[in-house]
Amino acid sequence: MGEPKKKSGGRLAFLDWMRGIGAVIMLQGHAFHAFTKPELREEGPYILSQFVGGMPPAIFLFLLGVTLAFLMDSRERAGLSPLKRILAGWRRAGYLFAAAFAFRISLWLLGWPHSPTRDLLRVDILNAMGFAIFVLSVMAVFQTVDRVRLCAALGVAIAAAAPLVSQLDWSFLPLPVRQYFVPDYAAFAFFPWGAFVAFGISVGSILRLTDPEQYERAAQWAALSGFGLILAAQYFSNLPYSVYARSDYWLDSPWLIASKLGVLLLLLAFSFLWTRHASGHWSWVRQFGMTSLLVYWVHIELMYGRWMWYFKERLTAGQTAIVAVCFILAMLGLSLARTQWKNWRNLGLSLGWYFFVGRRAAEND
């Protein structure tokens, strides 16, 4: 069996495809959240949109862990010391923090003078990514084979600790600081969201230790594990008793993390099988995965900024679905412009040379 399809630069196609699915789900979820009429938010289309829309953060954090595992492994193979391997992870965390604050500042400036200053310190998904990498980069001191089990155990520990963290009194800390690690509906705290990064490091380490010829078998095991996790999570979450004095299923429950992890493993397996057996040389879903940060940055400003203020919370479910499709198409065009800019520029230069130079020279001859 041949090596899995890869993109330029050695990117694994199925990881980009999975990230692209996250971006598409995110676009429709945000469209319904931004434009649906308030009185329609108790109906099926909106509820379904938001239920499915809860997966993209988990997808992005999980894949962040996978790529962090690749970075750790490559630095280990290059013979770098444990400290240098940790510093490599911290540099990536610094990049994400810089992107997070640049993102918040740009939104604040575009919304000025109506933007509240507190939004500059809001803990968004990019902040959560940077913080999780900063904390979990210490796992680079271990070898790749050890990170498989250690990071899986760490992911379980983070998820299990989330309800306990919620029960403690953190009022002595400023809200922007608390949101980095205390469960909060308005942020992506390390507890429990950091568990997805830890699980991603474990899965990414497995991929690094697996021969490409064995990826299909690994995908089968991922699918079986995913089904098992979903069934187990549903069973234990419905038990009439709990080891926790208090736990909110949709905020800090370990069983919600287990259920989402099961979905992630199923999606990972499907992404591999789709890119291996069904997709062609180009995939519009995978295209989104290559430019997910750009798509995230631009669509947030367009949907939640002042640009489409007239349509905010004024549309029916059908109208919102049309808007979602339009946004997906627009962001696909933006993504293509980002990745194909050099090719389009060269084509424009070639056409310009032909019409203004080559054609005139041919007429003179």
Side-chain angles (χ1 to χ4, degrees):
M1 187 176 296
E3 187 170 335
K5 297 176 184 178
K6 293 184 180 181
K7 293 198 244 258
S8 59
R11 297 170 66 107
L12 288 173
F14 64 93
L15 297 182
D16 278 334
W17 199 91
M18 182 175 176
R19 189 179 293 108
I21 281 291
V24 174
I25 296 174
M26 172 186 67
L27 288 171
Q28 67 81 29
H30 285 171
F32 273 85
H33 183 263
F35 301 113
T36 304
K37 293 180 179 180
E39 60 268 25
L40 300 178
R41 300 195 174 208
E42 298 298 326
E43 297 183 0
Y46 181 83
I47 294 175
L48 178 61
S49 167
Q50 299 309 293
F51 178 77
V52 176
M55 281 305 299
I59 293 174
F60 297 144
L61 289 165
F62 177 79
L63 292 177
L64 177 72
V66 172
T67 56
L68 181 59
F70 291 175
L71 176 66
M72 293 178 178
D73 181 75
S74 65
R75 297 301 185 267
E76 179 185 332
R77 292 175 187 268
L80 271 64
S81 67
L83 177 59
K84 290 184 177 180
R85 298 201 296 266
I86 293 175
L87 291 176
W90 284 354
R91 282 193 292 271
R92 181 168 293 186
Y95 165 77
L96 285 169
F97 271 122
F101 286 111
F103 172 67
R104 301 310 312 176
I105 291 171
S106 68
L107 293 184
W108 185 82
L109 290 175
L110 289 170
W112 189 84
H114 303 293
S115 303
T117 306
R118 64 178 180 274
D119 283 356
L120 292 172
L121 298 178
R122 180 183 174 186
V123 180
D124 210 337
I125 186 66
L126 294 176
N127 304 74
M129 287 179 170
F131 185 73
I133 288 186
F134 180 79
V135 174
L136 297 176
S137 287
V138 297
M139 301 305 293
V141 302
F142 301 102
Q143 294 184 338
T144 301
V145 65
D146 296 322
R147 281 194 294 272
V148 173
R149 54 185 175 81
L150 290 176
C151 289
L154 184 58
V156 172
I158 294 170
L164 302 177
V165 174
S166 291
Q167 294 173 30
L168 299 177
D169 182 11
W170 300 97
S171 59
F172 63 93
L173 290 177
L175 179 61
V177 177
R178 294 201 306 268
Q179 287 183 331
Y180 273 99
F181 58 94
V182 181
D184 189 330
Y185 280 115
F188 296 92
F190 185 78
F191 296 96
W193 291 98
F196 292 116
V197 182
F199 289 131
I201 296 174
S202 179
V203 171
S205 299
I206 292 174
L207 290 175
R208 281 303 195 191
L209 296 170
T210 304
D211 292 331
E213 291 78 9
Q214 299 298 319
Y215 277 3
E216 190 148 350
R217 177 63 60 85
Q220 294 171 3
W221 279 107
L224 289 174
S225 301
F227 277 120
L229 278 170
I230 293 172
L231 293 175
Q234 291 301 308
Y235 173 78
F236 286 106
S237 66
N238 290 320
L239 290 177
Y241 51 84
S242 172
V243 297
Y244 300 104
R246 184 175 69 255
S247 177
D248 186 334
Y249 181 81
W250 296 107
L251 177 65
D252 55 22
S253 172
W255 304 122
L256 176 62
I257 301 302
S259 182
K260 286 189 175 184
L261 178 60
V263 175
L264 289 173
L265 292 176
L266 287 174
L267 183 56
L268 181 68
F270 179 81
S271 300
F272 172 78
L273 295 174
W274 181 266
T275 53
R276 169 65 71 89
H277 299 293
S279 67
H281 295 290
W282 180 82
S283 166
W284 68 274
V285 174
R286 197 164 62 195
Q287 177 67 36
F288 273 113
M290 296 175 64
T291 58
S292 55
L293 177 57
L294 175 64
V295 169
Y296 173 78
W297 194 311
V298 173
H299 97 276
I300 287 291
E301 170 56 31
L302 292 178
M303 285 191 183
Y304 292 102
R306 63 178 64 181
W307 307 97
M308 301 186 69
W309 63 270
Y310 180 79
F311 301 100
K312 297 291 181 61
E313 300 185 354
R314 292 189 176 188
L315 303 184
T316 65
Q319 291 170 334
T320 304
I322 294 174
V323 169
V325 171
C326 291
F327 260 99
I328 291 172
L329 294 175
M331 292 302 101
L332 178 60
L334 176 66
S335 176
L336 286 169
R338 170 65 180 84
T339 58
Q340 301 298 320
W341 164 249
K342 290 183 178 180
N343 293 335
W344 292 352
R345 182 189 62 183
N346 292 337
L347 176 62
L349 291 175
S350 298
L351 291 174
W353 182 91
Y354 171 76
F355 282 108
F356 295 103
V357 179
R359 189 174 180 180
R360 186 171 300 176
E363 291 175 351
N364 291 336
D365 290 342

